[in-house]
Structure formats: structure tokens, C-alpha cells
């Protein structure tokens, strides 16, 4: 598989991308712990294999003070002992269920677990963040958006 970008979707479809950005801004406007927001974005991007979003959100998490150990073990959060709080684990479980939709729906137990840890407005914001990052992932993996640091360096492969 090549890593050559297929399209500059921002240039080709600016209204679509502005609309997507507006959706992201609306989803981010609600109160949600920024640490949980970044963990959710990273986990969904791992599942969707979106290098562009991983590059962006791993850098943002580090800038916000997230530990490298937690970032390294995020893909295996369930097996990471007490490294992630119960609240973070509930958010990550919901992220995986919404991202994968393996059975065509989000299981009641996963939703109930998240609802037990988040007030309704926070839960709505969490769902909005999960849906938004999944949409961004799908745009970027489809058009093969290069991670910003690769793009800036002019490289297409590491």
C-alpha cells in the first residue's frame, strides 16, 4: 500500500470540510474533561488506523501533559491495571463500541457503564467527540491524509 495522498479534500470540498469543522467545534464546545477527549480521539484513531489523527492527537495529549506510559498502553487499556480511571475506562469502552459497531449497535451494558460515570450533558459531549473523530478518521484514511509532521517534512514514508 502506498502512502501517497489521494486528494486534498480541504481544497476540493471546502464547504464540506468547513461543515465538518463546525460539527467538531460544536462537539468540543460541551464540557468534557480534555484528558478524556484526547484519549477518545487517540483510541478511535488507533482502531481506524488514521495516521493523520494519531499524529495530531498524540502530540496534543503530550502537550497537555499526558504521560508517555499511558499513551503507550492506551491500545491495551483493559489490561493496563489501574493506569486508567474507571471513568476513562467507561469512555474508552464506549469509544470502541461506537467505532467498531461490531453487532450493528452499541451494547446496553457499555452505554450503561458510561452513563454511570458521566452526567447526561457530559455523555452527550462524549458521544459527540466519538462521532466527530470517527468522521475525521474516515475522511483521512479515505484520502490518505499525511500526518502533519510528515507533510511538513515533505516525506511520504518513514
Amino acid at each position: 500500500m502506498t502512502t501517497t495522498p489521494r486528494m486534498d479534500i480541504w481544497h476540493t470540498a471546502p464547504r464540506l470540510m468547513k461543515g465538518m469543522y463546525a460539527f467538531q467545534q460544536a462537539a468540543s464546545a460541551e464540557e468534557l474533561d480534555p484528558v478524556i477527549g484526547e484519549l477518545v480521539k487517540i483510541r478511535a484513531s488507533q482502531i481506524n488506523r488514521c495516521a493523520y489523527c494519531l499524529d495530531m492527537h498524540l502530540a496534543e495529549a503530550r502537550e497537555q501533559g499526558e504521560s508517555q506510559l499511558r499513551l503507550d498502553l492506551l491500545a491495551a487499556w483493559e489490561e493496563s491495571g489501574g493506569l486508567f480511571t474507571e471513568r476513562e475506562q467507561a469512555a474508552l469502552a464506549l469509544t470502541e463500541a461506537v467505532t467498531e459497531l461490531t453487532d450493528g449497535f452499541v451494547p446496553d451494558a457499555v452505554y450503561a457503564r458510561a452513563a454511570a460515570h458521566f452526567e447526561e450533558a457530559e455523555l452527550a459531549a462524549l458521544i459527540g467527540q466519538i462521532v466527530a473523530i470517527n468522521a475525521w478518521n474516515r475522511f483521512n484514511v479515505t484520502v490518505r491524509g499525511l500526518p502533519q509532521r510528515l507533510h511538513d517534512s515533505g516525506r511520504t514514508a518513514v
Side-chain angles (χ1 to χ4, degrees), residues 56-128:
M56 175 191 303
H57 293 293
L58 285 165
E60 288 177 6
R62 285 186 200 98
E63 288 172 10
Q64 293 174 9
E66 186 57 73
S67 77
Q68 190 60 50
L69 177 62
R70 283 171 38 104
L71 296 175
D72 290 343
L73 295 178
L74 182 57
W77 63 269
E78 290 178 294
E79 292 83 30
S80 298
L83 196 57
F84 297 94
T85 68
E86 287 292 323
R87 185 173 159 92
E88 291 168 341
Q89 290 179 38
L92 292 167
L94 185 62
T95 300
E96 290 182 359
V98 171
T99 301
E100 295 172 347
L101 290 175
T102 304
D103 296 319
F105 57 90
V106 173
D108 290 340
V110 172
Y111 185 88
R113 180 180 182 186
H117 288 280
F118 294 89
E119 298 294 327
E120 193 168 62
E122 288 178 305
L123 185 56
L126 175 60
I127 293 166

Side-chain angles (χ1 to χ4, degrees), residues 5 24 28 30-31 34 38 51-52 60 63-64 96 115 125 136 156:
Q24 172 63 53
S28 299
E30 298 299 323
E31 293 298 318
E38 288 304 320
Y52 183 94
E60 288 177 6
E63 288 172 10
Q64 293 174 9
E96 290 182 359
W136 284 120
T156 58

Side-chain angles (χ1 to χ4, degrees), residues 6 48-51 136-145:
R6 291 176 169 155
N48 291 322
R49 300 168 46 186
C50 181
W136 284 120
N137 290 166
R138 282 155 172 76
F139 278 120
N140 282 306
V141 299
T142 302
V143 302
R144 293 190 182 138

